[in-house]
Amino acid sequence: MQKLSTPLVSQVSYGGLFFLILLTTVGLYWQGLNGIFILDDMPNLESLRSIKGEGIYAIFLFALEGIASSLGRPISLFTFALQADNWPHHPWEFKYVNLMIHLLNGCLVFWFILSLSRLMKLSEKRSLLLAFLTASLWLLHPLQVSTVLYVIQRMTQLSTLFTLVGLLLYLHGRQHLAQDRLKSGFFWVSIGVVLGGVLGTLSKENGVLLVLYIIVLEVTLLRTLPKPRYWRLWSWIFLYLPLVLLALYFLTHINTLLQAYDIRNFTLGERLLTEARILSDYISKILLLAPYEFGLYHDDYTISRHLLTPPSTLIAIIFIIVMFVTALWKRHIWPVFALGVLWFLAGHVLESSFIGLMLYFEHRNYLAMLGIIFSIIYGAIWLFEYILTPNLRKASIYLSSLFFALFLLLTWSETDLWGKPLEQTVFWAEQHPQSPMAQTHAVAFFQRIGENAEAEKYVRHILETFPDDTAPYLYLIELSCLYEPVKLPDMQQVIQHFRTSKYNHAIVSLLEFILKQRAEGRCDLDSSTMDKMLNTLIENPNNARYKASFYYQYVMFHVSEKRYEQAVQVAKKALALRDSLSLRLSLVEWLILDDRFDEAKAAVEEFRAEINPIKVHLYEKQLKLLENKIEIAQELRKMGFQIKEER
């Protein structure tokens, strides 16, 4: 019987070991699948209710009309739409899909590091060991938990998946180019950049960072590979031109980007100062130097107001600059160290720089941490093979085993917490008493399980801690609808407060809930008070960035009052700020109810003329139904019948 070659034996062995790592990952995360939808899950996925059982057209419509960002993130939304039947009562299924994507990404990381190691001309055994250890730690790291088990961050996972696919195709082509196989080489590197970049970006905007990751590879580990003819031309077109276009986009949209700071409690300068500390904090978590600070809510993070406020700001800035400059300066001598630093910083160029997003989220490290893990594993293997004595080797193996056990324990404790919503809610609220998001999450959770008295305690705490915010008073109004012991606050004082109160991410969903409760007769809010409250919130300058969403709630208020003329007027204001296909269709319905049939016909024609032809095709059935409805309603009105709203 013919013996297997040594490389093949090694490949089979490491493949088997990595399969065990995948099983271990499933085992660690399984308990966490019992968690709930939280934070941005609800506002981004609530529309799944409307497409249950509606077929493939409804799925495509949901994917194409996503409002998670300017690009809509259609690929990510498409995967959510496929699970519409599980919304909103079965978060387990959504989290399970996230876990499967995480496993797939882990396999791609293994493959990517293996391909990269081979291009570095490492031995097959070392390449396999490096790929195995890097992918294993990346998969099992406790910092990944909040990405995998936070449902909406499937967007981050999918963007990473396509970025890794693009990198693998690029490395495949790079190998061909190094062998002077120009046609196939340029084909694969081009496909890698285009396919990976486009699909990654349509999952989440981080996909544009693919070209930056490639540039980091080229100036570090791949710098010694031969550069073939036309390489400079190709790299300018496929690598540097996208970055120039991205920079031009930022420059031409700078005013829009800076508007995000209108609802933040920090300026652009303060954000940049603070992010230096946050990046340092991320690194400490990746290195497990802060093993008890993992979690979702960090909106209570201390903002750096000046270089020495707090004093750690200057230290963090010096640290980041020194790391960056050293990586660039020494990239020829220490290419692996340079890769780790530059890869990490490249991964944070969008979400941890000048764009006015929230300051701190662990999921921003999902792919960015790979460079640091790779560098540490490479260095550890090098030390083990070239420096350590036999006794020290035994000691290092023992210590590494203990570290790995601690590693697994930390991840297990995190997934255990995510799988116990009650304990998780209370723990986060106690851990972050100054976090509006952690406190409002507690209110929403206890309301959901019917513990209104407990929810009231958190509302009172929020009122005391954040008296300038809008959300606490809306929570109080909401509680008064649900829980008789809580009385409606003095609405004249509340409305006066809403003139200048601060925006909060929960406001729009709170208004929607209050309107629903009021329509069902559970809220003691008269029409005039509700109207004044909504108008005041719309006029509040702190809400300007989200004015379209407030207009939409105002529209629904008028509809509930059967004031269709006012509903149409406000809907047009909302559409002028942010287009919405579903709102356009609803507008036609309200025009019909208001006997404005000619305007309804014109609105249908505008839809066909102004909307992307692909979307028009998907909506064609609904448009024809509306046209028929207009004709029928017009005839019925002529006959003296009153048109009533469908329930």
Side-chain angles (χ1 to χ4, degrees):
M1 185 176 179
Q2 188 177 6
K3 291 185 178 180
L4 295 174
S5 63
T6 301
L8 184 58
V9 171
S10 297
Q11 291 170 8
V12 171
S13 300
Y14 279 106
L17 288 172
F18 190 65
F19 181 72
L20 293 178
I21 292 295
L22 295 175
L23 292 178
T24 302
T25 305
V26 172
L28 287 173
Y29 274 89
W30 199 259
Q31 60 188 356
L33 302 181
N34 296 313
I36 58 175
F37 294 113
I38 54 177
L39 196 56
D40 288 341
D41 290 341
M42 303 302 289
N44 282 289
L45 301 179
E46 182 60 24
S47 298
L48 289 175
R49 289 178 184 270
S50 63
I51 66 170
K52 285 186 177 182
E54 293 296 322
I56 192 66
Y57 277 121
I59 290 174
F60 277 111
L61 291 175
F62 177 83
L64 290 173
E65 198 169 345
I67 57 172
S69 72
S70 57
L71 290 178
R73 304 175 185 177
I75 293 177
S76 297
L77 291 178
F78 180 77
T79 69
F80 288 125
L82 293 174
Q83 294 186 273
D85 290 342
N86 295 316
W87 179 267
H89 303 298
H90 303 286
W92 192 95
E93 281 78 2
F94 287 86
K95 293 174 186 284
Y96 174 78
V97 172
N98 280 22
L99 176 57
M100 294 302 105
I101 296 172
H102 185 55
L103 297 180
L104 178 57
N105 282 339
C107 294
L108 293 175
V109 167
F110 186 104
W111 189 3
F112 169 66
I113 298 300
L114 186 61
S115 300
L116 186 60
S117 301
R118 287 169 175 169
L119 280 173
M120 294 167 63
K121 302 194 182 305
L122 301 181
S123 67
E124 185 69 7
K125 185 176 180 180
R126 179 178 284 194
S127 296
L128 286 165
L129 179 61
L130 187 57
F132 170 74
L133 292 177
T134 302
S136 298
L137 291 186
W138 185 88
L139 269 170
L140 296 168
H141 202 290
L143 192 58
Q144 305 288 47
V145 173
S146 61
T147 307
V148 179
L149 296 181
Y150 179 17
V151 171
I152 200 65
Q153 287 313 318
R154 181 183 302 178
M155 296 175 175
T156 295
Q157 292 184 289
L158 289 172
S159 180
T160 295
L161 186 151
F162 292 118
T163 298
L164 288 168
V165 169
L167 288 168
L168 283 165
L169 292 173
Y170 178 84
L171 291 183
H172 179 68
R174 199 68 181 84
Q175 178 69 54
H176 282 223
L177 290 175
Q179 298 168 353
D180 207 32
R181 297 158 63 185
L182 299 188
K183 287 185 178 180
S184 61
F186 279 122
F187 172 78
W188 286 114
V189 293
S190 302
I191 287 294
V193 172
V194 174
L195 186 67
V198 170
L199 296 181
T201 303
L202 291 178
S203 300
K204 191 177 181 181
E205 291 71 18
N206 302 59
V208 302
L209 297 179
L210 171 63
V211 294
L212 210 51
Y213 286 129
I214 290 174
I215 291 171
V216 169
L217 288 173
E218 286 294 339
V219 301
T220 57
L221 300 184
L222 303 184
R223 63 182 177 78
T224 58
L225 285 183
K227 302 292 192 296
R229 289 171 293 164
Y230 315 118
W231 172 256
R232 181 171 295 181
L233 175 63
W234 181 91
S235 60
W236 270 106
I237 294 173
F238 284 87
L239 299 182
Y240 300 109
L241 180 60
L243 293 180
V244 171
L245 294 176
L246 182 62
L248 288 174
Y249 173 83
F250 287 145
L251 287 173
T252 55
H253 292 76
I254 190 67
N255 290 332
T256 303
L257 292 170
L258 293 180
Q259 284 178 2
Y261 288 94
D262 294 342
I263 62 167
R264 305 299 181 198
N265 61 339
F266 50 83
T267 64
L268 171 59
E270 289 169 344
R271 175 183 173 80
L272 294 175
L273 291 174
T274 308
E275 283 298 339
R277 290 173 41 237
I278 292 174
L279 290 174
S280 302
D281 200 38
Y282 288 155
I283 293 173
S284 70
K285 286 187 174 182
I286 294 170
L287 301 177
L288 297 186
L289 300 178
Y292 304 110
E293 297 179 9
F294 298 108
L296 184 60
Y297 297 123
H298 297 280
D299 52 315
D300 56 346
Y301 195 83
T302 302
I303 296 170
S304 295
R305 302 299 181 183
H306 303 284
L307 275 175
L308 296 175
T309 311
S312 57
T313 304
L314 182 59
I315 297 171
I317 291 172
I318 292 172
F319 171 71
I320 296 298
I321 291 175
V322 168
M323 293 283 285
F324 177 67
V325 172
T326 303
L328 283 180
W329 183 29
K330 297 292 185 180
R331 69 185 188 276
H332 301 297
I333 304 172
W334 304 331
V336 177
F337 165 79
L339 172 79
V341 173
L342 297 178
W343 183 285
F344 173 77
L345 294 177
H348 287 283
V349 161
L350 290 183
E351 294 177 306
S352 298
S353 58
F354 68 94
I355 301 175
L357 303 170
M358 295 189 69
L359 290 170
Y360 194 129
F361 275 116
E362 291 177 356
H363 63 253
R364 294 173 183 172
N365 295 279
Y366 189 64
L367 183 56
M369 69 191 298
L370 179 60
I372 292 178
I373 293 175
F374 172 79
S375 300
I376 290 172
I377 296 299
Y378 183 92
I381 292 173
W382 184 82
L383 283 172
F384 186 82
E385 291 186 355
Y386 292 104
I387 296 179
L388 301 179
T389 64
N391 288 335
L392 286 176
R393 284 190 176 188
K394 291 179 182 178
S396 66
I397 292 173
Y398 176 72
L399 291 173
S400 298
S401 300
L402 287 178
F403 172 79
F404 189 67
L406 174 64
F407 200 84
L408 297 180
L409 183 62
L410 286 172
T411 303
W412 179 87
S413 66
E414 283 298 305
T415 58
D416 179 60
L417 185 65
W418 276 79
K420 296 175 179 176
L422 176 59
E423 289 89 338
Q424 181 189 53
T425 299
V426 174
F427 176 77
W428 281 347
E430 291 178 351
Q431 188 183 40
H432 298 280
Q434 298 297 313
S435 163
M437 292 168 63
Q439 301 305 313
T440 55
H441 169 68
V443 175
F445 175 78
F446 283 110
Q447 283 182 345
R448 189 181 305 146
I449 64 174
E451 295 289 342
N452 292 313
E454 193 67 22
E456 185 187 5
K457 293 180 183 178
Y458 285 100
V459 170
R460 299 297 178 187
H461 170 73
I462 297 170
L463 281 167
E464 293 176 7
T465 311
F466 313 107
D468 296 332
D469 286 6
T470 301
Y473 295 91
L474 290 177
Y475 273 117
L476 199 59
I477 295 170
E478 180 187 59
L479 265 179
S480 72
C481 302
L482 298 172
Y483 187 48
E484 190 173 338
V486 177
K487 301 303 179 183
L488 193 68
D490 185 330
M491 290 306 299
Q492 295 307 313
Q493 291 183 10
V494 169
I495 290 171
Q496 185 64 29
H497 173 73
F498 283 170
R499 295 184 187 280
T500 56
S501 57
K502 294 180 180 179
Y503 178 83
N504 179 281
H505 72 282
I507 294 175
V508 175
S509 58
L510 284 169
L511 286 173
E512 183 178 1
F513 183 85
I514 291 169
L515 285 169
K516 285 181 179 179
Q517 296 300 308
R518 184 178 175 277
E520 295 172 4
R522 296 177 185 170
C523 279
D524 189 21
L525 277 171
D526 61 75
S527 179
S528 176
T529 301
M530 193 74 209
D531 192 288
K532 288 178 182 177
M533 185 174 77
L534 288 167
N535 257 310
T536 303
L537 288 170
I538 288 171
E539 296 304 318
N540 184 333
N542 294 322
N543 300 331
R545 182 174 172 83
Y546 297 95
K547 204 168 188 176
S549 298
F550 285 95
Y551 272 137
Y552 182 78
Q553 298 308 318
Y554 197 24
V555 168
M556 300 317 296
F557 164 67
H558 285 308
V559 171
S560 69
E561 296 288 308
K562 302 190 184 316
R563 297 200 292 252
Y564 301 114
E565 182 179 356
Q566 291 92 326
V568 168
Q569 291 174 357
V570 179
K572 288 180 178 179
K573 292 180 180 179
L575 289 169
L577 292 173
R578 186 181 67 207
D579 199 9
S580 166
L581 302 188
S582 59
L583 184 56
R584 280 176 177 259
L585 296 177
S586 297
L587 179 65
V588 177
E589 298 274 5
W590 300 325
L591 287 168
I592 295 172
L593 290 168
D594 199 37
D595 296 339
R596 295 155 68 177
F597 304 114
D598 290 339
E599 288 185 55
K601 291 176 183 177
V604 172
E605 291 306 313
E606 282 181 16
F607 191 105
R608 286 200 173 98
E610 297 176 4
I611 305 303
N612 183 304
I614 296 175
K615 293 184 179 181
V616 171
H617 176 72
L618 292 173
Y619 276 101
E620 189 58 39
K621 182 179 178 181
Q622 290 173 260
L623 294 173
K624 287 182 177 179
L625 286 173
L626 282 174
E627 288 175 328
N628 291 334
K629 191 172 184 177
I630 294 169
E631 296 298 328
I632 294 170
Q634 198 167 10
E635 290 300 318
L636 289 173
R637 196 72 185 90
K638 288 178 181 178
M639 296 168 62
F641 292 100
Q642 183 67 39
I643 310 301
K644 293 185 178 181
E645 182 182 4
E646 295 181 3
R647 294 288 181 182

